[in-house]
């Protein structure tokens, strides 16, 4: 065993010491830019020359351009489990498993994990709150949030934010990252009056501080649907509002904006519980499953055809029938028949994800084909996480 180990070590040293001086920079750049991005960052350690080439902003622009212009390649993405609860509920084998779909080598284990983040309690894994431009916003707790982390799980870079100025039991979260700047917005998930003003807290990486402001809310008794992730679209943040069946929006970059706004949902929507917002190929969409207790359920998807006029267009309406159940009854028990929406595919209009009979399933709205992609499904909350063409680095904190 010792001889074999020494032989392997010598072979590895010979491989590492291969001379690449005869390869011109342009050719080496062409080779490196065709590698998966998570490997590129590891190869920075190969040599000083490789480190300089890969660290050059020109290389990042070239890599991003190739990804964006490729007709056959879309940005890697996956569905992440937002919350994993106590060990007594979730099997111990799932504690570090945040990946719902086994589809991309960039998400292969152990290449993608959140176990590099600090934990307050090892039996209560960290929560994923939102994503933006390849970064994740995480927190140790769901209620009374105070310890926020921003991380890039691909290159395992992370920072901890200063604690917010006020303790709030439950907050609606918004997260926006653009270039080297990021913002975190939060406000209470519910307001029961009598005032229509609320306290909005914003953290900016440019100042390194929390800023508190008082903004107006168009309704007194709003209630944010926290199991539907916030959606950043058209420059504004969007949250599903439960009590009035509206969308609450906020534009953090409008300097004169001192209020939240209401946006209409489709007039013919039916579900108040089983619904979510999302973006597919740049289009803002609303996805619901009718929450009737008896009879067949409908799956419906709308697209926002005119943002300013708040005009929705129904794309799909599919009625669940007994025949549809029979197609999958060999692996999903009928007594577990319960359907709820989980996510929209970020790159494909026709594909949605549902919780169904204890499984995570993908459903093609065009072909009506259903596939089980994850069995023994323990979470009702997923986040569609799309990598940026080139990994977003997090500026080092100065606070």
């Amino acid at each position: 065993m010792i001889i074999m180990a020494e032989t392997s070590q010598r072979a590895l040293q010979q491989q590492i010491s291969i001379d690449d001086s005869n390869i011109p920079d342009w050719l080496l750049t062409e080779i490196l830019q065709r590698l998966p991005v998570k490997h590129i960052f590891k190869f920075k350690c190969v040599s000083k020359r490789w480190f300089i080439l890969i660290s050059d902003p020109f290389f990042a622009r070239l890599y991003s351009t190739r990804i964006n212009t490729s007709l056959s390649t879309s940005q890697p993405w996956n569905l992440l489990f937002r919350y994993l609860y106590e060990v007594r509920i979730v099997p111990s084998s799932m504690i570090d498993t945040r990946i719902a779909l086994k589809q991309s080598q960039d998400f292969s284990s152990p290449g993608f994990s959140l176990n590099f983040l600090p934990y307050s309690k090892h039996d209560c894994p960290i929560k994923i709150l939102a994503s933006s431009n390849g970064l994740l916003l995480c927190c140790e707790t769901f209620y009374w949030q105070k310890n926020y982390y921003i991380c890039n799980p691909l290159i395992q870079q992370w920072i901890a934010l200063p604690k917010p100025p006020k303790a709030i039991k439950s907050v609606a979260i918004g997260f926006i990252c653009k270039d080297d700047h990021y913002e975190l917005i939060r406000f209470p998930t519910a307001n029961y009056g009598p005032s229509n003003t609320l306290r909005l807290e914003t953290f900016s990486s440019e100042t390194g501080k929390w800023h508190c402001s008082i903004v107006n809310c168009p309704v007194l008794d709003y209630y944010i649907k926290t199991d539907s992730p916030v959606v950043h679209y058209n420059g504004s943040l969007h949250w599903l509002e439960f009590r009035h069946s509206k969308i609450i929006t906020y534009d953090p970059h409008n300097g004169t904006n001192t209020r939240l706004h209401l946006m209409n949902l489709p007039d013919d929507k039916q579900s108040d519980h089983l619904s979510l917002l999302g973006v597919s190929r740049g289009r803002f969409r609303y996805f619901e499953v009718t929450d009737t207790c008896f009879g067949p359920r409908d799956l419906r998807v709308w697209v926002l055809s005119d943002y300013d006029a708040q005009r929705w267009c129904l794309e799909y309406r599919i009625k669940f029938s007994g025949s549809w159940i029979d197609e999958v009854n060999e692996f999903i028990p009928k007594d577990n028949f319960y359907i709820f929406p989980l996510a929209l595919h970020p790159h494909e209009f026709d594909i949605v994800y549902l919780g169904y009979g204890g499984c995570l399933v993908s459903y093609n709205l065009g072909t009506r084909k259903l596939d089980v992609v994850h069995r023994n499904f323990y979470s009702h909350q997923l986040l569609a996480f799309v990598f940026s063409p080139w990994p977003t680095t997090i500026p080092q904190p100065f606070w």
Side-chain angles (χ1 to χ4, degrees):
M1 295 295 293
I2 296 177
I3 295 176
M4 292 179 62
E6 291 177 349
T7 303
S8 300
Q9 185 175 6
R10 284 196 300 269
L12 181 61
Q13 290 174 347
Q14 291 175 357
Q15 292 176 3
I16 295 176
S17 62
I18 291 177
D19 184 12
D20 63 354
S21 59
N22 293 326
I23 303 176
D25 285 351
W26 70 265
L27 181 56
L28 184 57
T29 299
E30 286 292 323
I31 295 172
L32 291 175
Q33 69 167 319
R34 283 165 171 75
L35 297 175
V37 70
K38 76 172 184 178
H39 296 312
I40 291 177
F41 271 73
K42 293 180 180 179
F43 289 157
K44 278 187 174 183
C45 302
V46 170
S47 67
K48 182 178 180 180
R49 181 191 180 195
W50 285 34
F51 179 86
I52 294 174
L53 281 177
I54 296 172
S55 300
D56 192 324
F58 172 76
F59 185 91
R61 292 194 299 270
L62 192 67
Y63 192 94
S64 300
T65 301
R66 186 182 65 83
I67 292 295
N68 290 331
T69 58
S70 174
L71 297 178
S72 59
T73 304
S74 58
Q75 292 172 230
W77 75 282
N78 213 303
L79 292 177
L80 305 185
F81 295 109
R82 294 181 66 201
Y83 309 137
L84 294 178
Y85 297 99
E86 290 80 2
V87 173
R88 67 176 183 271
I89 299 177
V90 179
S92 58
S93 60
M94 288 185 62
I95 290 302
D96 285 329
T97 303
R98 308 306 288 260
I99 307 302
L101 307 179
K102 307 298 182 183
Q103 63 180 31
S104 170
Q105 59 181 329
D106 290 313
F107 289 90
S108 60
S109 180
F112 184 94
S113 174
L114 296 180
N115 58 13
F116 60 91
L117 292 175
Y119 288 72
S120 60
K121 298 179 180 178
H122 290 284
D123 62 345
C124 190
I126 202 161
K127 278 67 176 169
I128 300 174
L129 304 181
S131 69
S132 179
N133 196 25
L135 299 183
L136 292 176
L137 173 67
C138 303
C139 189
E140 297 173 344
T141 57
F142 179 72
Y143 293 109
W144 303 108
Q145 296 172 4
K146 59 180 181 179
N147 296 318
Y148 291 107
Y149 306 98
I150 294 176
C151 71
N152 186 325
L154 183 66
I155 58 178
Q156 297 192 359
Q157 182 188 16
W158 66 275
I159 62 169
L161 302 185
K163 294 181 179 180
K166 185 177 180 180
I168 304 174
K169 180 179 180 180
S170 180
V171 291
I173 288 289
F175 177 51
I176 299 175
C177 173
K178 186 176 182 180
D179 299 326
D180 293 331
H181 171 60
Y182 53 86
E183 286 181 296
L184 169 61
I185 295 94
R186 68 177 218 157
F187 60 92
T189 55
N191 181 31
Y192 302 101
S195 172
N196 66 339
T197 61
L198 58 89
R199 177 190 175 100
L200 187 142
E201 299 173 341
T202 303
F203 178 84
S204 170
S205 61
E206 291 183 340
T207 63
K209 297 179 181 179
W210 287 91
H211 172 73
C212 299
S213 58
I214 302 300
V215 298
N216 294 317
C217 185
V219 290
L220 289 177
D221 54 344
Y222 74 86
Y223 187 87
I224 299 294
K225 192 173 185 288
T226 56
D227 59 349
S228 178
V230 60
V231 176
H232 182 220
Y233 183 78
N234 199 37
S236 294
L237 296 164
H238 301 75
W239 297 269
L240 268 181
E241 196 278 330
F242 175 76
R243 188 164 286 128
H244 300 274
S245 295
K246 300 286 186 178
I247 301 173
I248 289 183
T249 71
Y250 179 70
D251 181 1
H253 300 132
N254 185 346
T256 61
N257 190 5
T258 58
R259 62 180 291 121
L260 303 177
H261 296 272
L262 283 186
M263 184 174 179
N264 292 326
L265 286 168
D267 292 334
D268 50 346
K269 69 172 290 294
Q270 293 186 10
S271 178
D272 291 326
H273 303 277
L274 307 178
S275 59
L276 57 85
L277 300 172
V279 176
S280 296
R281 296 178 64 180
R283 303 294 298 277
F284 192 66
R285 304 172 89 192
Y286 175 72
F287 174 28
E288 75 169 19
V289 175
T290 54
D291 51 356
T292 178
C293 296
F294 303 99
R297 293 185 173 188
D298 287 352
L299 183 156
R300 302 182 184 189
V301 180
W302 289 262
V303 63
L304 189 63
S305 57
D306 189 323
Y307 187 90
D308 293 330
Q310 301 181 24
R311 186 178 298 116
W312 294 89
C313 177
L314 181 64
E315 288 184 299
Y316 296 98
R317 178 180 178 180
I318 298 173
K319 189 176 294 294
F320 298 141
S321 62
S323 61
W324 192 64
I325 302 172
D326 291 338
E327 294 176 9
V328 294
N329 63 4
E330 62 185 49
F331 52 79
I332 299 180
K334 288 184 178 180
D335 57 355
N336 286 337
F337 180 66
Y338 178 64
I339 304 171
F340 51 94
L342 286 169
L344 295 163
H345 196 297
H347 303 312
E348 301 291 340
F349 281 126
D350 293 342
I351 298 177
V352 297
Y353 293 90
L354 302 159
Y356 179 51
C359 296
L360 169 64
V361 301
S362 68
Y363 185 64
N364 191 305
L365 299 166
T367 64
R368 309 294 175 91
K369 182 182 178 182
L370 180 146
D371 292 305
V372 173
V373 295
H374 201 291
R375 299 176 185 271
N376 300 320
F377 187 66
Y378 292 90
S379 176
H380 286 203
Q381 305 212 13
L382 294 177
L383 178 75
F385 177 54
V386 181
F387 280 157
S388 58
W390 184 253
T392 305
T393 57
I394 307 172
Q396 291 301 309
F398 57 86
W399 51 84

